[in-house]
Amino acid sequence: MSEKMNFQAEVSKLLDIVVNSLYSEKYIFLRELISNASDACDKLKYLVLTNPDIAKSSGEFKIKITPDAKENTLMISDNGIGMNRDDLINHLGTIAKSGTADFVNNAKDNGSSVDLIGQFGVGFYSAFMVASKVEIVTKKAGEDKAWKWTSDGIGGFEIEEAQKDVNGTDIKLYLKEDDKNFTDTIYLRYIIRTYSDHINYPIVLCLGEAGEENVNTGSALWARHKSEITQEQYKEFYHHLSKNFDEPWMTLHFKAEGNMEYTGLLYIPKQAPYDLFQPDKKTGLKLYVNKVFISDKVEELLPSYLRFVVGVIDSSDLPLNISREMLQQSALLEKIRHGTVSRILKELKKRSENYDDYMLFWKDFGIAFKEGIYEDFNNREEIASLSRFMSTHDTEKYTSLDDYISRIADDKKVIYYITGDDEKVLRNNPQLEAFKAKNIEVLLLTDPIDEFWTQTLQNYKGYAIKHINQADIDWKLERDSQKAADGDMQKLIDKLTEMFKTEVGKVVTTDKLTKSPVSLTVENGQMSIHLERLMRNHQQQTAFASTRILELNPYHPLIIKLSEMVGENKDMAKVEEVAKILLDQAKIAEGEAISDPSFYAEKLSEYILKAI
Ligand code: ADP
Ligand code: MG
């Protein structure tokens, strides 16, 4: 008796997108189904190795493609792990990955780019691009019952018991009228060779009366010698792993020899994956032992700041029946990880010599990569040297720390930085005026992560890394302008200290400002205003809020005027009003919110009106 079930709402939506917007890339369905068949064989192979009592495999693993031009159907069969009733319901009717569901819910019904949706793994559902009906007959290894799953890709599916002798899955597609070409063996052979050649199991194409033909090379790509692999093949394997459609930014194929033998085939995509910053994002390497798939969730293979690297590590030194739990404690894995990280960093170093090329990597992955500066103690200097930053030296180009060092003009070994939310706002921060005047370069750091690595890496190649408010510099500048009288300045300071006592801890005169009348900073060594703001945004209470210092520029006409007014005790209401506006300006320059925006706006218009 068959049972009718509905697709999860997101699946229906996904199907809609798949069927309507991947129109030109129809052939990808075959790649997806073959890839699933290969995964199913991997899973059974592993199970047989680790739990021989539960599972037996039925002969040599293979994937069979059977076209039927008369019936207009195409069947993809494997003798892998198969699915039971629960598997069918859970895997082919719901979306497991949280990111995919979110994406689908936010996606526009049309115009979703193929590139994007590919990343989310349309996977099995892509069958409905070419099929008006899909029929699956499957039997899970080690179980007695077989099941049949049928769907037209609209609304839902039906499940009933079925007959099948051996474990594995047969997926039969009833092709749409327009997609008859997928029964053409010449076309099928071409698609399989192009997109699935790297698959580790034989892919057999049934040619009807002419028999069967083994279509793919059938050996693991990474195990072949570099000289035997074409760029196309590297790329296709990357597509298979990453679910992207673009060219990888980096392809790194290596063999480590010596006391530990392993092969790596690693890629860095051109675009960051959608889930790069989701907390549960796992690193993207698959582990094989002698071409047998072990796991794709081996977090120990790569540190998390390299979580955007996808690829395969295959080692013959690990025991074949290693369990996933054992993996976590393996000292061998630690060695592989160590060696792999070094290789990646070395390759990045090479690529960093070409600025434009390196920027393609940096703009998408730099934020994650910088986490390594505090996460990876052993490589932190290397990671810092591969990092790039905006600075006051150039308005467009990023700089490296080494280039910064090469431009230092004085004999103080210090790299200065300032942090904030926005680069443009930072560039105009009054705190930078004296640095400009003295020709001292300052890094402009705008990623939240910057607040953290700068706390860990306080020294780079013998150069101290300091927030500008820790600078120990004699700010005396050559000035030809007038200066406020000391006595009046003191009175102004007393006045403002009293006025702003709840908001500002201290009011001082400074030599640091050239253009601005006032500026906000914190006591040397205290948490920067930006970090405080970050913590506040994350509900981390500001119990240890830094003491705000309001700095006054005694050379600025406005400050001179105010100090004179206070000195003469004249028009104090006006002094207070202007002082409030100035404090607001200082806050704005820091990227801080002002306490009474309507007061500020109203007063500003009033003064502008007087001026024009
Ligand atoms: P993904 O392969 O990324 O997990 P798919 O949509 O391609 O996503 O497949 C969904 C799930 O359906 C798979 O994870 C697997 O559990 C199951 N599945 C699909 N095809 C097969 C198959 N041929 N044999 C066994 N399980 C399969
Ligand atoms: Mg899949």
Side-chain angles (χ1 to χ4, degrees), residues 31-33 35-37 39 97 121-124 243:
R31 179 186 89 181
E32 293 294 337
L33 296 186
S35 157
N36 285 350
D39 290 348
K97 283 164 256 164
V122 268
F124 167 75
K243 307 204 156 124

Side-chain angles (χ1 to χ4, degrees), residues 287-307:
L287 179 67
Y288 285 75
V289 173
N290 267 333
K291 299 188 216 168
V292 177
F293 174 72
I294 303 294
S295 177
D296 55 6
K297 295 193 182 67
V298 192
E299 286 177 56
E300 289 72 18
L301 272 178
L302 269 191
S304 95
Y305 69 95
L306 293 175
R307 58 190 177 275

Side-chain angles (χ1 to χ4, degrees), residues 577 581-582 585 588 597-611:
E577 200 172 275
I581 296 174
L582 285 178
Q585 275 184 4
I588 291 170
S598 60
F599 165 83
Y600 182 75
E602 201 181 294
K603 287 297 159 194
L604 202 60
S605 324
E606 194 183 309
Y607 284 97
I608 292 173
L609 194 62
K610 274 186 203 153

Side-chain angles (χ1 to χ4, degrees), residues 323-492:
S323 72
R324 282 168 195 155
E325 294 70 44
M326 278 162 69
L327 278 173
Q328 285 167 6
Q329 302 141 24
S330 167
L332 293 173
L333 271 201
E334 182 59 40
K335 279 193 186 150
I336 294 180
R337 168 186 166 120
H338 191 85
T340 306
V341 170
S342 301
R343 292 206 186 238
I344 296 172
L345 296 182
K346 219 168 110 193
E347 187 68 16
L348 286 175
K349 175 137 196 96
K350 248 192 261 163
R351 296 286 294 269
S352 72
E353 279 155 27
N354 178 332
Y355 179 84
D356 291 335
D357 176 44
Y358 194 60
M359 279 305 123
L360 294 176
F361 160 74
W362 187 256
K363 288 196 170 136
D364 264 38
F365 300 107
I367 304 184
F369 186 73
K370 278 188 285 186
E371 292 169 14
I373 304 177
Y374 71 82
E375 253 181 44
D376 188 345
F377 188 83
N378 293 321
N379 293 308
R380 64 163 57 143
E381 195 160 279
E382 184 69 18
I383 297 166
S385 84
L386 288 168
S387 295
R388 297 292 179 267
F389 311 96
M390 275 298 172
S391 95
T392 51
H393 174 70
D394 196 298
T395 50
E396 270 148 40
K397 281 192 147 183
Y398 285 74
T399 181
S400 66
L401 294 181
D402 294 288
D403 286 345
Y404 178 110
I405 288 172
S406 73
R407 289 187 292 263
I408 295 181
D410 58 23
D411 52 3
K412 300 218 177 65
K413 297 185 122 193
V414 185
I415 296 170
Y416 292 103
Y417 69 89
I418 182 171
T419 53
D421 303 320
D422 184 275
E423 185 201 317
K424 287 215 182 67
V425 176
L426 275 187
R427 283 192 194 277
N428 294 316
N429 190 307
Q431 292 290 316
L432 291 178
E433 290 172 12
F435 287 84
K436 270 176 221 159
K438 295 229 168 211
N439 227 340
I440 301 173
E441 184 173 347
V442 177
L443 300 178
L444 308 167
L445 307 182
T446 51
D447 296 322
I449 195 76
D450 293 322
E451 289 286 358
F452 302 100
W453 72 256
T454 46
Q455 301 304 309
T456 350
L457 186 80
Q458 295 185 347
N459 197 294
Y460 175 77
K461 297 187 177 169
Y463 288 76
I465 297 186
K466 283 191 181 175
H467 192 285
I468 56 163
N469 65 32
Q470 297 174 313
D472 178 19
I473 295 179
D474 176 12
W475 292 118
K476 283 260 174 318
L477 299 167
E478 299 266 327
R479 313 214 190 214
D480 37 26
S481 48
Q482 221 195 323
K483 190 179 177 185
D486 287 349
D488 290 348
M489 257 331 260
Q490 192 51 52
K491 283 190 187 143
L492 178 61

